[in-house]
Amino acid sequence: MPLAIAAVLLLQSGSADSSALRHANGLVPPAVTALRVDRPPSLDGRLDDPAWTLAPASTGLLQTDPDEGNAVSESTEVRIIYDADALYVGVRLFDAQPHSIVSRLGRRDANTHSDEFRLLLDSYHDHRTAFEFIVNPAGVKKDVLRGGDGKLSDNSWDPVWEAATSIDSLGWIVELRIPFSQLRFSPAREQVWGVRFTRWIERKNELALFPFVGKKESGLASRFAHLVALQDIAVPKRLELLPYTLARGRYDQPKRAGNPFDDGNTYYGGAGLDLKYGVSSNFTLDATINPDFGQVELDPAYVNLTAFEQFLDEHRPFFVEGTQIFDFGGNGGGVNKFKSTPLFYYSRRIGREPQGEPTSSGDFKDVPTSTTILGAAKLSGRTADGWSVGVLDAFTARERATVADMTSGGRYGDEVEPPTNYFVGRLKRDFAGGNTNIGFLTTAVHRRLDTPALDFLPTTAYAGGVDFLHRWHNNTYTIAASLGASYIGGDTLAIKEAQRSSNRYFQRPDAASFRYDPHRTSLAGLTGDVYLNRVAGVWNWGVAGSTTTPGFEVNDFGFQERVDRISAAASVGRRWTRPGKRFRQGYAYLTVGPSWNYDGDAIQRAVGTFGYAQLRNFWSLDWSATYSAAVTDDRLTRGGPLAAKPAGWQASGDVYTDDRKRVSEYGFASYASDAAGGWSLNLIPQLTIRPSQAVSLSFTPGYFTGRAAAQYVSRVPDATAAATLGVRYVFAELRQQSFYVTWRLNATFSPVLSFQLYAQPFTFTGHYTGFKELRAPRTFSFNRYGQDNGSSVTPDDPAVCGGAAPGTCSGIDPDGGAGPAAKFALYNPDFRTRSFRTNAVLRWEYRPGSTLFLVWTHSRSGYFPYDASFDLGRDLGPELFRDRPTNVLLVKVNYWLSL
């Protein structure tokens, strides 16, 4: 059984000096007084303990929606008391129509579309961080860790706290108990925290808060009231243990005959321990022994026909929780964003699917689907002098594939992934009450390469950078900037791979600013961006610039789609926040975004608009439209000469109905077209039904279809192809169609017992026609085979197709035999694929912090080459269930102990 140990150290300190009593804008915020008590109240949702009558009440909540600036329509009183161990919050939420209070059940952290009370605490008092505690009238809890003054959020944060609620003739009541052990604060004798109260009234779509912040203003924790009179809070000596055990069975039926690696079923049992130890209020140590990284959400089904990697979200709790500190850069809260901005830290690289292939020959092979994580550690938090600190280190094991040769009876172990260490470190310093910050980031990847077959991987990969943010004039204006660098080193084979990757295509024959060097053993580059924005007020605007040099590379630990880019962006928009005759609120923006490569070729010239509007009936609309002028395309030939990209346009829109209703609808549609005749259509309707207070069901079909005028197929070296520099670049018209249906069922039996079901059948077809080759560089002109230049197409040509199955190969003669060009084989790339995935989870929090999971996962898929027929009745009907299924059953139990 592998052993992994992970640690998290949270550091925080600070003092409640006099400067903390003012916001950075110089205004004195309102104060909320907490009362210390010797005897804590009983949490029963009744507010009848004597302590509540002694505590002063905070009122004065004001609406942001629907009537901005008006008093909350239903009176609200909030009281805060505390003892040596915890903070207690008592709330009386009056309601003139208590029978109309919306109280729905849901699993923890779910959006239940109910009335809610939300408490936000800035116990750091850094004006940047907030701990949010949310509860609805049914007692369903939600907790969110917010950073960056509201720009970042972490829904995976799950502290152990308690809530009790009740509904009576006056409205509803909330009682909260938040242990100090779940918060981070200074060791000062007298403390000042930030605090905000928020009330959501579902039937009225009403949001009210204290203190009030208008919709034209920006900032979250920097706008909080002050929670005062907190004194003599002892440093909590926290020791929390969370042991777990699990059992998992995998069933693949029917068993593949003759395959020695396919037993039809496998079983696994394991146990581990998570530990949290609070050395002081400044330091918290989190450790895990034998972490369970296997229980993750399913990735959505997709087909990727581009040259770029598919980005997938992280679902593993260890790599999701508390990783906001590693976020680097940002746009300062404006609307300008660059798609090409690299991501320095992409946690799915850790434990990734092995990158090598078995080198031994044999009849069957058993290749691991992921890399074993031997150990991982996190260190994050805040030092006494204002530095935020984050460190993560992980080590993954050597992975081997097993190859079986049934003729000789031999078995061979081939290394497919080397032992690898991943490291990321982050430092960030706040100034001027959180309105200015500067940060530093560094990442490192070290691989121990002992096998020549893996020399295509870099042995070392380093990246680092500095980022900056400043806000001024009451958070109205922002400027943000970042500068980063990267370096990779290794065998010449690894650097060849990096140079030839789709991110840069150093082999492009007509490039002027870089060249392909097969003898290189390293590659380095730079990236940077800067944003200037107005983010508050009626009119907002922004200007930005970004660049990434051709040698920049972070894909060993980060994520990037392309480099070799210089981009600019500008935007201007207006916001409406007061209800009118037709609309309650909305905004509209205009944008412009040109880009060039480092040779100075224009690769993007786009002008667009987007906006949002909420109607008087609480329906909402989103829209966007973009026109892109004709430009140079340095990616179409995938390492060949430049081509052209025809002008095109794209438009999309969303419609949301009033989600307070038992039945609500959503619709999305987009259409794109270009001057070469390419087009695409995407339709996604959604129906959500809430038949009871405890059950919700959503049904989301999606249909995509389109025609690409020039889809890359292959490259054929041919010295006679002088017009395209000795290579024929083969393309085709591609007709794509896909359809899926996503079902989600949520059934909640109590705030601590819930069941979720997810199911998605999916099918996709790709049909290639009109094969052709690029006629000349810097154009979007093609010679169609069988029509242009005397070329000919011979189906099943024995001269080049060999023993290919009938109908799967054609012989292409680019000049029809009249010239010197040689024939080549063109295989039919048509295909269709289908899959069905479902996941069911029963979650029971049988005591605070302790959970039982029962999980069932089912998947099956089929791939059919040479066949592009699109038949929903076949691929989503009974025939789908002829594909080989995989079923996984898992039981996991953990038990939380606080000592």
Side-chain angles (χ1 to χ4, degrees):
M1 182 183 302
L3 177 67
I5 298 177
V8 183
L9 184 60
L10 298 172
L11 302 87
Q12 193 283 330
S13 74
S15 59
D17 57 27
S18 60
S19 64
L21 298 179
R22 292 180 179 271
H23 284 160
N25 56 26
L27 300 177
V28 178
V32 175
T33 301
L35 175 70
R36 179 148 192 159
V37 297
D38 295 325
R39 181 179 178 181
S42 299
L43 252 64
D44 53 15
R46 297 175 59 184
L47 288 183
D48 55 1
D49 288 89
W52 293 123
T53 63
L54 301 175
S58 295
T59 58
L61 280 73
L62 300 179
Q63 297 182 41
T64 57
D65 285 304
D67 300 312
E68 186 178 12
N70 288 359
V72 62
S73 64
E74 307 287 351
S75 297
T76 307
E77 298 177 353
V78 185
R79 293 173 170 84
I80 297 181
I81 60 179
Y82 68 101
D83 63 8
D85 300 316
L87 191 76
Y88 301 85
V89 182
V91 191
R92 161 57 79 176
L93 302 108
F94 292 96
D95 199 307
Q97 297 177 298
H99 61 280
S100 298
I101 294 171
V102 182
S103 175
R104 294 191 175 106
L105 285 170
R107 63 180 174 85
R108 182 171 180 169
D109 290 336
N111 181 2
T112 60
H113 295 279
S114 302
D115 286 31
E116 287 180 343
F117 173 75
R118 307 167 188 170
L119 170 72
L120 294 93
L121 296 172
D122 176 14
S123 55
Y124 283 127
H125 210 215
D126 61 0
H127 308 289
R128 303 277 297 170
T129 309
F131 301 96
E132 184 172 13
F133 303 86
I134 306 170
V135 65
N136 77 0
V140 178
K141 299 188 297 183
K142 184 176 182 179
D143 28 56
V144 184
L145 177 59
R146 301 194 180 275
D149 201 19
K151 297 182 180 66
L152 306 172
S153 61
D154 180 4
N155 292 297
S156 68
W157 179 62
D158 282 327
V160 179
W161 55 289
E162 299 175 66
T165 61
S166 65
I167 299 175
D168 59 20
S169 61
L170 299 179
W172 62 293
I173 294 171
V174 172
E175 285 185 304
L176 306 179
R177 181 184 184 273
I178 302 170
F180 290 129
S181 64
Q182 306 302 303
L183 302 173
R184 306 294 174 263
F185 50 88
S186 84
R189 180 179 179 275
E190 296 185 6
Q191 299 192 33
V192 176
W193 294 359
V195 67
R196 171 182 285 182
F197 312 128
T198 302
R199 181 176 183 179
W200 171 255
I201 304 176
E202 174 75 6
R203 71 180 186 277
K204 299 181 180 182
N205 262 358
E206 180 178 325
L207 182 68
L209 56 145
F210 172 86
F212 174 75
V213 179
K215 288 187 284 188
K216 297 174 185 176
E217 301 175 86
S218 66
L220 182 73
S222 60
R223 303 282 189 167
F224 283 4
H226 281 162
L227 180 61
V228 299
L230 295 170
Q231 297 181 349
D232 299 318
I233 301 176
V235 175
K237 296 296 183 181
R238 303 179 298 270
L239 177 58
E240 299 175 14
L241 303 177
L242 189 68
Y244 81 84
T245 184
L246 67 83
R248 179 169 55 236
R250 173 175 173 144
Y251 307 90
D252 299 281
Q253 298 295 336
K255 178 182 177 180
R256 289 191 174 98
N259 188 340
F261 303 118
D262 190 352
D263 294 329
N265 52 70
T266 58
Y267 299 95
Y268 171 81
L273 173 69
D274 295 338
L275 176 148
K276 183 189 295 287
Y277 176 63
V279 180
S280 69
S281 62
N282 300 348
F283 298 88
T284 301
L285 174 68
D286 283 84
T288 179
I289 300 173
N290 193 29
D292 171 32
F293 292 127
Q295 186 186 341
V296 300
E297 297 180 27
L298 293 177
D299 290 321
Y302 64 90
V303 173
N304 184 2
L305 297 178
T306 73
F308 301 103
E309 180 184 7
Q310 182 79 22
F311 181 87
L312 297 171
D313 291 328
E314 179 63 86
H315 300 299
R316 297 169 295 179
F318 179 84
F319 293 111
V320 173
E321 185 176 354
T323 57
Q324 289 180 346
I325 181 64
F326 302 115
D327 291 333
F328 180 78
N331 66 351
V335 301
N336 294 317
K337 294 182 180 179
F338 296 106
K339 183 180 179 181
S340 59
T341 300
L343 186 66
F344 281 74
Y345 168 60
Y346 180 44
S347 59
R348 288 195 66 143
R349 301 294 184 207
I350 304 171
R352 67 190 303 170
E353 182 179 355
Q355 300 170 80
E357 292 290 337
T359 55
S360 300
S361 60
D363 302 290
F364 299 97
K365 60 183 180 181
D366 182 22
V367 182
T369 58
S370 62
T371 304
T372 302
I373 301 172
L374 296 177
K378 285 186 295 186
L379 174 73
S380 63
R382 190 174 176 86
T383 65
D385 54 359
W387 284 98
S388 296
V389 180
V391 174
L392 183 147
D393 192 84
F395 186 73
T396 58
R398 187 190 312 272
E399 295 292 344
R400 298 183 184 275
T402 305
V403 179
D405 187 332
M406 305 307 291
T407 302
S408 65
R411 287 203 178 195
Y412 312 97
D414 297 337
E415 185 176 339
V416 291
E417 184 74 17
T420 306
N421 191 86
Y422 299 87
F423 172 85
V424 55
R426 182 79 157 117
L427 289 173
K428 197 171 184 178
R429 180 71 157 86
D430 292 336
F431 303 91
N435 279 338
T436 302
N437 61 70
I438 185 171
F440 305 90
L441 178 83
T442 183
T443 68
V445 176
H446 291 144
R447 296 185 176 96
R448 189 165 61 207
L449 296 178
D450 304 319
T451 303
L454 297 179
D455 282 344
F456 68 91
L457 298 172
T459 55
T460 57
Y462 303 111
V466 55
D467 57 351
F468 168 81
L469 171 68
H470 177 63
R471 305 179 299 182
W472 71 96
H473 195 61
N474 202 22
N475 292 353
T476 300
Y477 300 95
T478 67
I479 182 171
S482 69
L483 178 65
S486 71
Y487 171 89
I488 63 171
D491 189 84
T492 55
L493 182 60
I495 307 306
K496 286 178 185 178
E497 289 280 334
Q499 291 181 86
R500 299 176 67 89
S501 76
S502 59
N503 294 317
R504 56 188 54 81
Y505 289 134
F506 270 21
Q507 72 272 31
R508 184 160 58 84
D510 50 5
S513 57
F514 50 80
R515 65 183 180 87
Y516 175 69
D517 181 357
H519 305 293
R520 295 183 71 157
T521 57
S522 65
L523 189 67
L526 297 172
T527 187
D529 53 37
V530 60
Y531 302 83
L532 177 64
N533 309 289
R534 177 186 169 93
V535 295
V538 175
W539 287 94
N540 296 162
W541 52 262
V543 292
S546 172
T547 185
T548 305
T549 66
F552 187 81
E553 175 61 54
V554 293
N555 273 325
D556 288 277
F557 201 2
F559 187 91
Q560 65 187 44
E561 284 194 345
R562 70 158 291 158
V563 293
D564 183 24
R565 189 179 184 107
I566 304 170
S567 301
S571 62
V572 62
R574 191 187 192 283
R575 293 193 291 180
W576 292 267
T577 61
R578 296 285 185 177
K581 292 183 179 180
R582 295 181 178 85
F583 301 100
R584 291 186 174 275
Q585 58 182 316
Y587 57 78
Y589 282 85
L590 294 173
T591 63
V592 59
S595 294
W596 304 263
N597 62 22
Y598 266 70
D599 285 350
D601 302 306
I603 56 175
Q604 177 180 294
R605 291 185 295 174
V607 179
T609 180
F610 68 91
Y612 163 81
Q614 185 183 57
L615 307 181
R616 293 290 300 184
N617 63 354
F618 293 104
W619 285 36
S620 298
L621 311 171
D622 288 292
W623 75 88
S624 70
T626 303
Y627 172 77
S628 299
V631 292
T632 300
D633 193 334
D634 58 359
R635 294 295 185 265
L636 183 68
T637 58
R638 301 194 181 185
L642 295 172
K645 176 184 278 188
W649 63 271
Q650 176 271 340
S652 66
D654 301 80
V655 178
Y656 302 80
T657 66
D658 187 349
D659 61 11
R660 297 173 299 169
K661 308 297 185 181
R662 286 185 176 270
V663 178
S664 60
E665 297 85 22
Y666 162 80
F668 169 82
S670 69
Y671 185 81
S673 179
D674 63 44
W679 59 273
S680 66
L681 172 68
N682 193 11
L683 301 173
I684 305 176
Q686 183 180 82
L687 177 67
T688 301
I689 303 173
R690 302 180 186 90
S692 73
Q693 301 286 64
V695 177
S696 67
L697 175 69
S698 68
F699 168 75
T700 311
Y703 175 68
F704 174 84
T705 184
R707 173 186 178 272
Q711 174 68 30
Y712 180 88
V713 176
S714 66
R715 63 190 301 274
V716 180
D718 187 341
T720 67
T724 50
L725 310 179
V727 177
R728 300 187 184 277
Y729 296 93
V730 182
F731 295 86
E733 298 171 5
L734 172 63
R735 177 67 190 277
Q736 304 176 64
Q737 292 189 87
S738 70
F739 182 82
Y740 67 85
V741 180
T742 301
W743 294 87
R744 294 184 185 274
L745 170 67
N746 293 284
T748 308
F749 310 103
S750 75
V752 296
L753 180 61
S754 62
F755 173 78
Q756 291 83 46
L757 175 66
Y758 165 91
Q760 185 190 70
F762 167 85
T763 185
F764 183 99
T765 64
H767 181 44
Y768 294 76
T769 60
F771 292 92
K772 53 196 176 182
E773 65 180 51
L774 185 67
R775 181 174 297 168
R778 292 185 176 272
T779 71
F780 199 75
S781 300
F782 302 89
N783 291 324
R784 184 180 292 264
Y785 296 136
Q787 295 183 14
D788 299 327
N789 203 32
S791 60
S792 63
V793 179
T794 306
D796 302 319
D797 189 339
V800 293
C801 291
T808 64
C809 175
S810 295
I812 305 296
D813 192 333
D815 52 18
K823 280 187 177 183
F824 63 90
L826 183 62
Y827 292 89
N828 180 7
D830 285 358
F831 73 97
R832 63 182 174 91
T833 184
R834 66 190 181 206
S835 66
F836 178 67
R837 300 181 179 188
T838 186
N839 179 253
V841 180
L842 179 69
R843 181 184 187 277
W844 177 31
E845 187 175 355
Y846 58 91
R847 66 186 300 271
S850 305
T851 310
L852 166 69
F853 294 95
L854 298 177
V855 183
W856 169 60
T857 301
H858 171 90
S859 61
R860 61 178 71 219
S861 63
Y863 180 81
F864 308 90
Y866 318 124
D867 180 4
S869 59
F870 187 71
D871 186 339
L872 295 181
R874 174 196 61 204
D875 289 328
L876 300 187
E879 188 174 310
L880 171 63
F881 293 93
R882 298 177 187 172
D883 298 331
R884 188 172 189 249
T886 296
N887 289 279
V888 178
L889 297 176
L890 179 144
V891 179
K892 178 180 177 180
V893 182
N894 59 40
Y895 189 87
W896 181 76
L897 297 168
S898 180
L899 306 177

